[in-house]
Amino acid sequence: MSLKQASVHAKWVIGRVIGTKMRKTAKVRVTRLVLDPYLLKYYNKRKTYFAHDALQQCTVGDIVLLKALPERRSKHVKHELAEIVFKVGAVVDPLTGKKVAGGCFLEPLTESTENTEASLTEKLEQLNISASPSPSLSSPASASASST
């Protein structure tokens, strides 16, 4: 009577999805820093895991958290998708509230410029930041210049 035990070294791993072409399976690359004992320098060591994605909710580029299965599902699949930590393309600009990819907006900016400026000043007032220079900073500089 022997129990079948799965020998998975990493119980929880976090990595980036690099492929989703297989049905209900995501290919995830995990990067670790490994110290070279001779050079005393850290290098990136990559390993690829296959994870079971039952709902097929991953896309390429997502950062996901994988959980080790107690028993492997197939020859290569030993982990399952526990959580999508960061969804690709879900970055939102804090000032405009629009989705951003790099330096480009994914949604068109259809608001007028006056409305945007008004909303920016409102947000700056909420953060207690003034757009105009404070007069207290300019007066000591002019006083010191006139005294010399």
Side-chain angles (χ1 to χ4, degrees):
M1 294 202 353
S2 64
L3 291 172
K4 190 174 184 182
Q5 291 281 339
S7 62
V8 177
H9 294 287
K11 302 294 181 195
W12 293 90
V13 289
I14 191 164
R16 183 182 301 270
V17 177
I18 58 172
T20 58
K21 294 196 178 192
M22 295 169 281
R23 190 169 13 109
K24 295 187 178 182
T25 304
K27 191 175 182 181
V28 179
R29 175 174 289 154
V30 176
T31 305
R32 290 191 175 92
L33 287 174
V34 178
L35 179 66
D36 184 297
Y38 183 73
L39 296 175
L40 297 177
K41 182 177 177 183
Y42 285 95
Y43 290 99
N44 289 327
K45 184 177 181 182
R46 300 185 309 193
K47 187 169 182 181
T48 303
Y49 293 97
F50 290 99
H52 178 65
D53 181 15
L55 302 176
Q56 296 182 346
Q57 55 191 358
C58 289
T59 56
V60 175
D62 291 346
I63 306 295
V64 295
L65 179 68
L66 303 180
K67 178 185 172 190
L69 292 168
E71 192 173 297
R72 62 170 52 184
R73 289 187 61 88
S74 65
K75 183 178 179 182
H76 297 292
V77 178
K78 300 173 191 165
H79 291 79
E80 69 177 346
L81 177 72
E83 178 186 350
I84 297 178
V85 180
F86 294 110
K87 191 83 173 149
V88 69
V91 179
V92 177
D93 182 37
L95 294 177
T96 60
K98 304 287 184 182
K99 288 189 176 183
V100 180
C104 304
F105 287 98
L106 297 177
E107 300 173 5
L109 296 173
T110 56
E111 297 177 339
S112 64
T113 56
E114 298 85 24
N115 199 7
T116 305
E117 290 175 5
S119 66
L120 288 175
T121 55
E122 291 172 4
K123 289 182 181 181
L124 288 173
E125 288 172 4
Q126 290 175 354
L127 296 171
N128 294 329
I129 300 173
S130 63
S132 63
S134 62
S136 62
L137 292 176
S138 61
S139 61
S142 61
S144 64
S146 62
S147 65
T148 35

